[in-house]
Amino acid sequence: MLDTLLKKRDLPTLRPRGEMLDILHREIYGYVRATWDTPVFTVKENIVPNFCAGKATLNKVTVTCRTAGREFSFPFYETLIYDGKHHPFFVHINFRDSVPDRYMPTEELVDNGFSVLSFCHNDVTRDNNDFTDGLAGILYNGSRRPDDAGKIAMWSWAASRIMDHAETRGDMLDLDCATVCGHSRLGKAALLAAADDERFAYAYSNDSGCSGAALSRGKSGENIKDICSRFPYWFCENYYKYAEHEDELPCDQHFLLAAIAPRRVLIGSAADDAWADPPSEFLSALAASPVFSRGLECPDCLPKAGDFLPRGDIGYHLRAGRHYFSREDWQRLIEFIRIHGGVK
């Protein structure tokens, strides 16, 4: 049954990782072309020195990057477990700058042995069509080329700057177990960050849907025309030409997932999120499976609500409910990392 469903999508054949990344950037997300000096990190404020019942410290940090004589800074939060051990950690691309919040149950993550480095996407560049704002204003001077970065690529770039900082915390962080994660549009950015940056051992996207984990060919719910009409600034301008012409794309979203291999990726879906189209997210993971050392566990039919398929290096879970980032989603991610040996 699943082979038949995949054949109906008529997907482009997977290519070497570098070729897939070039296509994804050129046709969908765009390139962040600036050449940057080594970032500078400043701990501005030790907000809670005894956070989470004394298990961790919560700091506010500023990262400053320079390119061609221009300077750009944005803040992020680090919640570090300080027990003398090296802990796995999440780089969370978040909708908010508060710690904790409804998208990030920080105390529970710490209780499970994870440190957390998080930033608000709007602190990098705002989620709108203003390309003079934040990082966008540093990159562009009033005009963009057709393959210049949209905002998803800029949020993805920022996640890699957080990894730069993590490398300075090697006394507290397990640099071999870094996970980049996000929900919805920020799940798209998390997948792109992991595809581009091999320092991320794990990637997790939750309900990333159209132009994220979900295949575009044959997709129900939101399609390229819908997303480019409402959020054109997320993408490079080249992407617009594929509205109602998905079959002309030289890639599909299984390229994005496959570019993360041989590292690990977990795709989270919500059964009632028809706009994201869980079957297209699952089939995308299945189509990417051949390049992973252990592909997706393959049931006889499409998953149903409550199914969790964690044993492959690319995994999938489908929870009941709608489009939100829940504690159940975080717990599935933690289980996935534990199954694959990421928590010592």
Side-chain angles (χ1 to χ4, degrees):
M1 175 186 175
L2 295 178
D3 286 344
T4 300
L5 291 175
L6 270 182
K7 286 179 181 177
K8 288 181 179 179
R9 301 296 179 110
D10 193 23
L11 300 176
T13 302
L14 294 173
R15 303 187 186 188
R17 175 172 176 264
E19 292 182 22
M20 292 190 294
L21 285 173
D22 282 342
I23 294 170
L24 289 162
H25 280 287
R26 185 180 68 244
E27 304 297 339
I28 301 179
Y29 304 106
Y31 297 95
V32 177
R33 286 191 164 88
T35 300
W36 302 90
D37 296 339
T38 301
V40 175
F41 303 99
T42 306
V43 179
K44 293 184 64 176
E45 184 179 357
N46 181 227
I47 301 173
V48 184
N50 294 297
F51 185 69
C52 198
K55 296 178 183 177
T57 183
L58 172 59
N59 302 318
K60 186 174 183 179
V61 184
T62 296
V63 53
T64 300
C65 301
R66 296 180 178 87
T67 179
R70 292 168 291 173
E71 183 174 289
F72 171 68
S73 298
F74 69 96
F76 64 94
Y77 293 86
E78 59 174 10
T79 306
L80 301 174
I81 302 173
Y82 56 91
D83 58 3
K85 300 178 182 179
H86 296 81
H87 285 270
F89 62 99
F90 298 112
V91 174
H92 183 207
I93 311 173
N94 201 358
F95 284 98
R96 291 172 173 78
D97 62 359
S98 53
V99 179
D101 75 355
R102 65 181 183 180
Y103 289 105
M104 189 176 66
T106 312
E107 294 101 324
E108 293 177 29
L109 300 178
V110 168
D111 285 341
N112 278 278
F114 289 85
S115 292
V116 185
L117 285 67
S118 66
F119 68 95
C120 176
H121 69 312
N122 278 329
D123 286 334
V124 175
T125 184
R126 297 196 68 81
D127 192 2
N128 58 28
N129 205 28
D130 182 1
F131 277 84
T132 67
D133 170 76
L135 177 61
I138 296 295
L139 296 176
Y140 307 121
N141 186 20
S143 64
R144 295 164 62 210
R145 295 192 292 189
D147 61 352
D148 277 339
K151 298 206 168 180
I152 284 173
M154 296 184 211
W155 300 326
S156 168
W157 172 90
S160 286
R161 304 292 70 76
I162 304 303
M163 268 305 302
D164 293 339
H165 174 73
E167 290 184 323
T168 72
R169 295 291 202 182
D171 58 330
M172 303 178 76
L173 298 176
D174 181 356
L175 298 175
D176 293 326
C177 192
T179 301
V180 60
C181 52
H183 168 67
S184 193
R185 68 202 67 179
L186 306 184
K188 309 180 207 299
L191 291 174
L192 184 61
D196 281 332
D197 192 336
E198 294 180 280
R199 294 175 297 177
F200 291 115
Y202 295 86
Y204 178 61
S205 76
N206 189 67
D207 299 348
S208 61
C210 181
S211 311
L215 295 172
S216 294
R217 287 167 171 82
K219 188 183 183 302
S220 63
E222 187 177 39
N223 56 35
I224 294 176
K225 179 181 179 181
D226 295 323
I227 204 167
C228 286
S229 296
R230 299 176 67 201
F231 309 108
Y233 45 87
W234 288 352
F235 310 101
C236 72
E237 294 176 359
N238 277 338
Y239 196 38
Y240 311 162
K241 65 189 176 188
Y242 297 109
E244 298 187 316
H245 298 282
E246 283 85 354
D247 291 345
E248 297 178 12
L249 258 174
C251 63
D252 210 318
Q253 295 308 117
H254 63 314
F255 276 34
L256 180 62
L257 305 185
I260 300 171
R263 294 162 293 133
R264 298 184 175 100
V265 56
L266 178 65
I267 305 302
S269 299
D272 296 330
D273 189 1
W275 200 235
D277 187 9
S280 288
E281 293 178 315
F282 172 77
L283 290 174
S284 184
L286 185 60
S289 286
V291 300
F292 288 85
S293 298
R294 289 177 293 178
L296 184 69
E297 289 178 279
C298 196
D300 295 330
C301 57
L302 291 171
K304 61 184 182 300
D307 283 351
F308 181 33
L309 307 172
R311 298 293 169 185
D313 292 325
I314 181 166
Y316 180 83
H317 82 91
L318 179 65
R319 63 158 167 78
R322 295 183 175 273
H323 187 84
Y324 49 80
F325 203 171
S326 73
R327 280 170 165 75
E328 179 182 346
D329 298 317
W330 281 106
Q331 192 57 48
R332 292 303 191 199
L333 175 56
I334 290 169
E335 290 177 42
F336 180 75
I337 296 170
R338 282 182 171 151
I339 285 169
H340 292 283
V343 181
K344 306 298 191 293

